[in-house]
């Protein structure tokens, strides 16, 4: 009798574990398939548009979505394709006397990726994240609609697309704030051995007249803060590198 009870108990728990595993996997597969189908829809639409001359072309080397489309110098707004490489974009902008308000610590992203997987930079304390400097986006959604989204139209899509990892659609182009660059950046480095002093210095520097702020913790008693200030002319107080 004891053996029979033990066998029944064992079979019951085995079935219970199997059911839990089944439903857990089912839930995961459902989410995965939905996401996969959504991305496949976008992929198919992009392939369709690529081969349709009166539509849009993404992967061609001369596609407008791979480079700068227009610069509004009066309002300091850049219209750029989502597939444009960040490094090449900064190089072109710098040669024209401009830069993005926020640039991350890596330059191997596209502009669309920078918007969808936003990165930090030394100017975020002043300008926010990159997506905070995007005025408008052109996006293709999973059902094939190409929409212009901003604060006034399709505003929910506009705000939710930032940091969305392209889950709501593929970013075709963006209108982004830019700024004129200066001839010089003067940098100062500060060392701290106490964490509280380090944090207090950050809070103080944030509201001072600087343009760049970056901090690194190297150890429990080794904190480094670096500030930068844009200058048009040579400042004799600083050594010129």
């Amino acid at each position: 009798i004891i053996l029979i009870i033990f066998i029944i108990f064992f079979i019951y728990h085995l079935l219970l574990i199997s059911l839990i595993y089944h439903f857990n996997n089912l839930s995961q597969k459902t989410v995965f398939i939905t996401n996969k189908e959504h991305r496949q829809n976008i992929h198919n639409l992009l392939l369709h548009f690529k081969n349709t001359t009166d539509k849009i072309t993404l992967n061609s080397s001369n596609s407008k979505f791979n480079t700068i489309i227009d610069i509004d110098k009066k309002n300091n707004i850049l219209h750029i394709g989502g597939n444009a490489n960040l490094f090449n974009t900064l190089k072109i902008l710098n040669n024209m006397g401009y830069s993005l308000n926020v640039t991350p610590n890596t330059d191997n992203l596209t502009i669309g990726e920078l918007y969808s997987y936003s990165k930090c930079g030394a100017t975020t304390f002043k300008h926010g994240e990159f997506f905070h400097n995007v005025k408008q986006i052109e996006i293709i959604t999973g059902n094939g609609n190409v929409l212009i989204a901003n604060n006034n139209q399709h505003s929910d899509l506009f705000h939710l697309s930032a940091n969305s990892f392209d889950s709501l659609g593929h970013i075709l182009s963006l209108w982004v704030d830019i700024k004129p660059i200066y001839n010089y950046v003067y940098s100062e480095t500060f060392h701290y051995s106490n964490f509280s002093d380090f944090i207090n210095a950050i809070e103080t520097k944030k509201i001072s007249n600087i343009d760049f702020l970056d901090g690194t913790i190297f150890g429990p008693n080794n904190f480094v803060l670096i500030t930068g200030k844009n200058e048009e002319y040579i400042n004799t107080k600083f050594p010129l590198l």
Side-chain angles (χ1 to χ4, degrees), residues 94-109:
N94 290 167
N95 288 336
M96 300 176 66
Y98 290 92
S99 182
L100 298 173
N101 284 351
V102 178
T103 55
N105 297 325
T106 178
D107 55 17
N108 60 347
L109 301 171

Side-chain angles (χ1 to χ4, degrees), residues 80-121:
I80 187 167
N83 284 4
N85 176 265
L86 176 60
F87 176 80
N88 294 335
T89 299
L90 290 173
K91 191 174 181 180
I92 295 172
L93 284 176
N94 290 167
N95 288 336
M96 300 176 66
Y98 290 92
S99 182
L100 298 173
N101 284 351
V102 178
T103 55
N105 297 325
T106 178
D107 55 17
N108 60 347
L109 301 171
T110 66
I111 299 297
E113 287 172 340
L114 184 55
Y115 178 75
S116 296
Y117 331 131
S118 192
K119 303 289 184 178
C120 296

Side-chain angles (χ1 to χ4, degrees), residues 49-50 52-53 55-60 62-65:
F49 288 148
K50 177 185 174 183
T52 308
T53 55
K55 295 286 186 177
I56 59 175
T57 305
L58 284 177
N59 296 324
S60 171
N62 62 353
S63 168
K64 73 172 185 176
F65 299 108

Side-chain angles (χ1 to χ4, degrees), residues 159-192:
H159 292 292
L160 291 172
S161 292
N163 290 332
S164 68
F165 290 83
D166 270 1
S167 60
L168 300 178
H170 184 78
I171 305 298
L172 298 176
S173 69
L174 311 88
W175 285 258
V176 188
D177 285 331
I178 56 176
K179 60 183 179 182
I181 58 175
Y182 291 76
N183 289 326
Y184 303 96
V185 174
Y186 290 96
S187 176
E188 289 186 275
T189 302
F190 304 89
H191 296 267
Y192 303 91

Side-chain angles (χ1 to χ4, degrees), residues 30-229:
T30 302
V31 174
F32 176 75
I33 290 172
T34 301
N35 188 43
K36 182 179 179 182
E37 287 176 346
H38 176 71
R39 290 184 175 275
Q40 188 62 46
N41 286 340
I42 295 175
H43 176 71
N44 291 338
L45 286 163
L46 294 180
L47 289 179
H48 168 72
F49 288 148
K50 177 185 174 183
N51 298 318
T52 308
T53 55
D54 61 336
K55 295 286 186 177
I56 59 175
T57 305
L58 284 177
N59 296 324
S60 171
S61 59
N62 62 353
S63 168
K64 73 172 185 176
F65 299 108
N66 290 335
T67 187
I68 292 175
I69 299 171
D70 183 49
I71 297 179
D72 180 354
K73 294 184 178 181
K74 181 179 179 181
N75 298 302
N76 288 339
I77 295 177
L78 168 71
H79 183 200
I80 187 167
N83 284 4
N85 176 265
L86 176 60
F87 176 80
N88 294 335
T89 299
L90 290 173
K91 191 174 181 180
I92 295 172
L93 284 176
N94 290 167
N95 288 336
M96 300 176 66
Y98 290 92
S99 182
L100 298 173
N101 284 351
V102 178
T103 55
N105 297 325
T106 178
D107 55 17
N108 60 347
L109 301 171
T110 66
I111 299 297
E113 287 172 340
L114 184 55
Y115 178 75
S116 296
Y117 331 131
S118 192
K119 303 289 184 178
C120 296
T123 59
T124 52
F125 80 99
K126 189 172 185 178
H127 298 287
E129 294 281 1
F130 175 78
F131 66 85
H132 289 123
N133 297 270
V134 175
K135 298 294 188 184
Q136 183 171 271
I137 60 172
E138 181 182 12
I139 184 172
I140 177 172
T141 60
N143 59 5
N145 291 331
V146 177
L147 304 174
I148 299 295
N150 52 42
N151 281 325
N152 298 317
Q153 57 182 355
H154 305 295
S155 58
D156 287 345
L157 180 62
F158 175 62
H159 292 292
L160 291 172
S161 292
N163 290 332
S164 68
F165 290 83
D166 270 1
S167 60
L168 300 178
H170 184 78
I171 305 298
L172 298 176
S173 69
L174 311 88
W175 285 258
V176 188
D177 285 331
I178 56 176
K179 60 183 179 182
I181 58 175
Y182 291 76
N183 289 326
Y184 303 96
V185 174
Y186 290 96
S187 176
E188 289 186 275
T189 302
F190 304 89
H191 296 267
Y192 303 91
S193 58
N194 180 277
F195 181 71
S196 296
D197 293 341
F198 175 65
I199 295 300
N200 290 334
I202 290 175
E203 295 300 323
T204 301
K205 299 294 183 185
K206 277 167 54 177
I207 58 176
S208 64
N209 189 27
I210 60 172
D211 299 295
F212 304 93
L213 178 63
D214 209 349
T216 306
I217 299 175
F218 290 101
N221 302 109
N222 188 359
F223 310 93
V224 177
L225 191 62
I226 301 175
T227 64
K229 179 74 174 69

